[in-house]
């Protein structure tokens, strides 16, 4: 019997089985184009179509209004497994070479079929998913400020296939492959899994996912970090955290952040969680500076990566209120439990995959925070949250009813309840007023006192009583912090000069900055090959890598600070020495006065 006749009989036999099966009643029907196939390839192709049909959710199959023609070609480019034109699919012919009886279909063939079928549906009149605003938000084509189009896709790390970023349509097709074929997809990309389940029906995989979200967080000590396993159920609320502006160019508009109100272990979620400050975390988009200098021009042109930092609230309060003398407003956002869970999922996705560019005007902290809220809380996507200033974003959140700024109306109550953290400027002024009641310190403004050289402050340090000495001690500690900030700025400039390129201290600093870059872009902390949120052993690897970086980073930063102090100009070195001497004298006097006060009190009893 001729081979071609046997092939036709096999073909009709397989088609008869298909027609007799329940699958034949599904809306999805294949029209196999056998041109160019030999007998074995025809059988392999028919089996492939039958097997892939069994994997597709019935709700998805029901969307196909007419049979899908499937042809096979040897003329496709090497890197192309399939193409879709006018509802017809063409696949690589050699994908059929590895089809074997009794064995699962090759992954490449399954993926190619699912990929192209997704394009067929997406391009149909009833499809158009990849063109919707929600899909583009989810898949990484984010809105520009003022809705001026969409950005490129910067979710470039922890990706299963770089081709997904070619367009929203390709992102849809690539992720459809993984949705139907990867058992872990629901855990690695939970938001996308929920979208696919809602649009085309649940996949056959139902893994038990760890509800905790892995986030690499900074610790209080310089160079220290750890892996936070955040349980969304412990997050009672999310606040919009606004740092007031100052006179610095990059800080003039303020700074946008989000505060996670996390309940202490064992505490049921409720208002009392607002007092668990040591457990609260701050999400802050910042420009990661991987060199030793900060350039305003580079910030304007997007030369710095945009990173989502996860920081302890206490550290942020100290940074802004004590060092930069800027107040912090913590405005509650009106979020439901489901909104918080959805937002935190997006936070985790951004944390592990996003690699954007920080631009001080068009992609700054306010823009990034607005995008995060809009994409993490779908019901806030219309009319959108695009604003380029932190105060502008807060005002828009208030106008749309998403933020409750009434908590700030009574400043004293807001401070007591943890909604406002005042700049230490007012506290310093109060301390200075206490000292001035006992001592003639000159100007009534504390800023003038803090700006005096340490040698000019020294004569007054041993003349006051216990209260005045305590006040001057706290103010001297503040001058120490301010002088250290100035010293860091000087050192950044000195280490960045070309003549210092081979300097050991500079090399050490660059190595520490490299480690810091891994901590704030943590995809490098886990083994290659995975995608989305790290799971199981990947989380163990991230925790171990973070601990190792911290173990070498903390002492290295401390040692570097000592080395760099010797590089300061002589005047600044002398000023730091003088401040340290002032602190020693104040500490000695405080102890002496306290002993005398205790002795006096004992004598009068």
């Amino acid at each position: 019997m001729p081979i071609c006749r046997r092939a036709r009989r096999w073909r009709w036999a397989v088609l008869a089985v298909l027609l007799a099966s329940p699958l034949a009643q599904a809306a999805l029907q294949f029209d196999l184009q056998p041109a160019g196939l030999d007998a074995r390839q025809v059988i392999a192709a028919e089996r492939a179509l039958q097997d892939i049909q069994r994997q597709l959710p019935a709700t998805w199959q029901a969307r196909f209004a007419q049979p899908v023609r499937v042809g096979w070609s040897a003329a496709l480019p090497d890197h192309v497994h399939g193409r879709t034109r006018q509802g017809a699919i063409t696949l690589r012919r050699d994908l059929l070479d590895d089809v074997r009886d009794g064995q699962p279909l090759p992954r490449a063939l399954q993926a190619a079929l699912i990929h192209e079928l997704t394009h067929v549906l997406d391009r149909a009149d009833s499809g158009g998913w990849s063109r919707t605003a929600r899909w583009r938000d989810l898949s990484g084509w984010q809105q520009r400020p003022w809705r001026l189009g969409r950005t490129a896709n910067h979710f470039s790390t922890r990706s299963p296939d770089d081709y997904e970023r070619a367009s929203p349509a390709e992102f849809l097709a690539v992720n459809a492959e993984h949705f139907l074929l990867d058992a872990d997809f629901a855990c690695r990309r939970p938001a996308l899994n929920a979208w696919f389940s809602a649009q085309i029906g649940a996949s056959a995989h139902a893994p038990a996912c760890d509800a905790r979200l892995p986030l690499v967080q900074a610790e209080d000590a310089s160079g220290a970090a750890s892996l936070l396993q955040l349980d969304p159920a412990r997050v009672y609320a999310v606040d919009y955290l606004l740092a007031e502006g100052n006179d610095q160019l990059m800080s003039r508009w303020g700074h946008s952040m989000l505060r996670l109100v996390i309940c202490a272990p064992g505490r049921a979620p409720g208002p009392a969680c607002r007092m668990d400050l040591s457990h609260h975390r701050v999400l802050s988009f910042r420009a990661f500076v991987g060199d030793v200098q900060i350039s305003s021009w580079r910030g304007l042109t997007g030369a710095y990566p945009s990173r989502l930092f996860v920081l302890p609230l206490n550290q942020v309060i100290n940074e802004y209120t004590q060092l930069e003398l800027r107040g912090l407003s913590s405005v509650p956002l009106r979020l439901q439990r489901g909104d918080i869970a959805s937002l935190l999922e997006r936070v985790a996705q951004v944390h592990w995959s996003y690699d954007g560019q920080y631009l001080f005007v068009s992609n700054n902290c306010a823009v990034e925070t607005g995008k995060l809220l809009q994409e993490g809380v779908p019901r806030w996507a219309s009319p959108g949250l695009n604003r380029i200033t932190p105060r502008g974003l807060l005002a828009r959140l208030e106008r749309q009813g998403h933020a409750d700024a009434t908590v700030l109306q009574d400043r004293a109550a807001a401070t007591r309840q943890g909604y406002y953290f005042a700049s230490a400027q007012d506290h310093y002024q109060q301390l200075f007023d206490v000292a001035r009641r006992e001592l003639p310190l000159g100007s009534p403004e504390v800023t003038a006192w803090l700006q005096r050289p340490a040698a000019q402050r020294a004569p007054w340090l041993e003349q006051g009583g216990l209260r005045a000495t305590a006040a001057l001690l706290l103010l001297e500690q503040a001058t120490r912090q301010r002088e250290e900030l100035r010293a860091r700025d000087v050192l950044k400039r000195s280490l960045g000069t070309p003549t210092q390129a081979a300097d050991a201290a500079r090399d050490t600093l660059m190595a520490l900055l490299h480690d810091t870059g891994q901590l704030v872009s943590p995809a490098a902390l886990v083994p290659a090959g995975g995608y989305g949120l790290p799971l199981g052993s990947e989380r163990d690897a991230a925790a171990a890598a973070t601990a190792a970086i911290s173990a070498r980073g903390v002492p290295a930063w401390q040692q570097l600070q000592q080395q760099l102090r010797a590089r300061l100009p002589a005047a600044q070195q002398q000023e730091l020495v003088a401040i340290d001497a002032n602190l020693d004298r104040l500490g000695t006097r405080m102890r002496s006065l306290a002993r005398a006060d205790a002795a006096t009190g004992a004598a009068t009893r």
Side-chain angles (χ1 to χ4, degrees):
M1 182 182 295
I3 293 178
C4 61
R5 185 176 301 172
R6 287 201 302 271
R8 283 197 296 272
R9 289 185 177 180
W10 272 104
R11 180 182 178 189
W12 287 111
V14 172
L15 287 175
V17 172
L18 285 173
L19 289 171
S21 70
L23 284 173
Q25 305 306 313
L28 173 60
Q29 298 292 320
F30 290 115
D31 180 9
L32 176 62
Q33 306 294 303
L37 302 182
D38 59 27
R40 188 200 66 78
Q41 290 171 329
V42 169
I43 296 172
E46 289 170 339
R47 183 200 155 192
L49 299 181
Q50 180 184 15
D51 284 2
I52 207 67
Q53 195 173 27
R54 294 182 186 280
Q55 296 185 47
L56 302 181
T59 51
W60 197 20
Q61 296 191 47
R63 290 180 175 273
F64 289 88
Q66 57 189 11
V68 179
R69 286 184 294 134
V70 181
W72 307 81
S73 172
L76 293 176
D78 291 342
H79 64 283
V80 176
H81 282 188
R83 280 181 175 159
T84 297
R85 296 286 189 275
Q86 298 180 337
I89 294 173
T90 302
L91 298 176
R92 291 181 63 86
R93 186 190 305 166
D94 58 13
L95 290 174
L96 297 170
D97 293 346
D98 294 328
V99 176
R100 299 288 184 269
D101 291 338
Q103 297 182 13
L105 285 182
R107 169 66 184 247
L109 177 53
Q110 295 180 75
L113 271 168
I114 293 170
H115 187 109
E116 300 308 325
L117 284 169
T118 305
H119 282 320
V120 171
L121 276 185
D122 186 40
R123 296 170 188 174
D125 293 339
S126 60
W129 296 313
S130 65
R131 297 186 293 277
T132 63
R134 177 57 183 158
W135 176 255
R136 295 191 178 197
D137 281 345
L138 270 177
S139 57
W141 277 267
Q142 300 173 301
Q143 285 189 6
R144 299 182 189 274
W146 304 301
R147 294 184 178 274
L148 297 176
R150 297 270 177 170
T151 67
N153 188 317
H154 294 297
F155 287 76
S156 56
T157 61
R158 299 284 295 168
S159 171
D161 184 347
D162 289 341
Y163 187 55
E164 70 176 352
R165 296 194 308 282
S167 69
E170 294 302 342
F171 196 97
L172 177 73
V174 168
N175 279 273
E177 302 170 23
H178 293 277
F179 170 70
L180 292 171
L181 298 178
D182 291 357
D184 292 333
F185 185 81
C187 304
R188 293 185 178 279
R189 287 187 162 174
L192 292 180
N193 182 77
W195 185 92
F196 276 109
S197 297
Q199 296 296 328
I200 63 176
S203 71
H205 310 297
C209 301
D210 188 341
R212 299 173 304 166
L213 299 171
L215 300 171
V216 177
Q217 62 177 352
E219 299 287 357
D220 290 329
S222 296
S226 62
L227 185 69
L228 170 66
Q229 299 272 24
L230 178 61
D231 182 358
R234 287 181 53 210
V235 180
Y236 166 67
V238 179
D239 290 3
Y240 181 81
L241 191 62
L242 173 67
E244 298 170 352
N246 61 17
D247 294 333
Q248 299 297 316
L249 173 64
M250 292 177 289
S251 307
R252 191 165 297 164
W253 294 343
H255 187 67
S256 296
M257 296 167 280
L258 296 179
R259 171 188 178 185
L260 304 183
V261 180
I262 303 174
C263 303
R267 188 191 297 281
C273 296
R274 287 198 166 274
M275 296 299 103
D276 298 331
L277 298 185
S278 63
H279 296 276
H280 296 185
R281 293 296 179 266
V282 172
L283 308 175
S284 177
F285 283 100
R286 302 181 177 191
F288 173 68
V289 183
D291 57 20
V292 295
Q293 286 188 315
I294 295 179
S295 163
S296 299
W297 174 251
R298 292 180 66 186
L300 289 169
T301 57
Y304 293 127
S306 180
R307 297 282 187 261
L308 180 59
F309 288 70
V310 183
L311 307 165
L313 175 64
N314 290 334
Q315 184 183 111
V316 172
I317 292 173
N318 181 68
E319 174 186 352
Y320 284 102
T321 65
Q322 301 291 325
L323 300 182
E324 298 189 19
L325 302 182
R326 300 162 66 182
L328 286 168
S329 299
S330 190
V331 181
L333 298 176
R334 293 189 174 99
L335 296 170
Q336 302 168 5
R337 293 306 309 169
D339 296 331
I340 292 177
S342 174
L343 175 60
L344 293 177
E345 283 183 5
R346 184 64 173 184
V347 166
Q349 179 189 359
V350 169
H351 185 65
W352 288 96
S353 299
Y354 182 65
D355 188 23
Q357 292 179 315
Y358 197 98
L359 292 129
F360 294 145
V361 175
S362 61
N363 200 51
N364 55 35
C365 60
V367 175
E368 292 279 35
T369 303
K371 289 188 295 188
L372 180 62
L373 288 171
Q374 179 173 307
E375 293 154 7
V377 187
R379 63 188 180 90
W380 289 5
S382 180
L385 296 171
N386 293 310
R387 286 295 180 270
I388 65 168
T389 68
R391 290 193 180 277
L393 177 56
L394 177 57
R396 190 167 182 84
L397 287 166
E398 290 182 68
R399 284 196 303 272
Q400 295 180 1
H402 301 325
D404 179 16
T406 61
V407 298
L408 301 175
Q409 290 176 352
D410 184 336
R411 183 56 58 87
T415 302
R416 288 195 307 270
Q417 296 166 7
Y419 294 113
Y420 185 74
F421 304 93
S423 161
Q425 179 76 27
D426 294 338
H427 178 56
Y428 292 159
Q429 184 64 53
Q430 292 171 2
L431 291 172
F432 190 58
D433 290 342
V434 168
R436 286 181 66 246
R437 293 190 191 105
E438 296 185 30
L439 303 169
L441 300 179
S443 170
E445 300 297 329
V446 69
T447 51
W449 173 262
L450 296 176
Q451 290 170 359
R452 290 185 190 179
Q456 293 183 17
R457 297 191 299 269
W460 302 101
L461 303 183
E462 297 181 289
Q463 297 187 32
L466 184 60
R467 284 173 55 82
T469 302
L472 291 175
L473 175 61
L474 293 173
L475 290 174
E476 200 67 19
Q477 290 172 345
T479 63
R480 182 69 161 79
Q481 291 178 321
R482 291 161 63 87
E483 190 62 34
E484 285 183 343
L485 282 179
R486 285 193 287 268
R488 290 177 196 172
D489 186 61
V490 170
L491 289 170
K492 280 188 293 188
R493 291 194 184 93
S494 68
L495 289 173
T497 57
T499 56
Q500 306 290 347
D503 188 278
R506 187 181 190 280
D507 293 342
T508 300
L509 178 58
M510 295 306 296
L512 289 171
L513 288 173
H514 176 267
D515 280 351
T516 303
Q518 289 185 294
L519 294 175
V520 297
S521 183
L525 301 176
V526 295
Y531 68 94
L533 303 185
L535 306 177
S537 61
E538 292 176 322
R539 296 193 185 192
D540 295 338
T546 302
I549 289 175
S550 296
R552 65 175 178 262
V554 172
W557 277 110
Q558 293 173 347
Q559 182 179 5
L560 181 62
Q561 288 171 357
Q562 294 298 321
Q563 293 175 356
L564 293 181
R565 182 164 175 171
R567 300 177 59 121
L568 288 171
Q572 277 191 292
Q573 291 189 49
Q574 292 170 5
E575 183 67 11
L576 285 168
V577 169
I579 293 173
D580 288 341
N582 285 352
L583 288 170
D584 288 341
R585 293 170 63 191
L586 284 164
T588 300
R589 181 166 178 79
M590 274 287 297
R591 290 188 291 272
S592 175
L593 290 172
R595 287 193 297 267
D597 185 66
T600 302
T604 59
R605 286 198 293 269

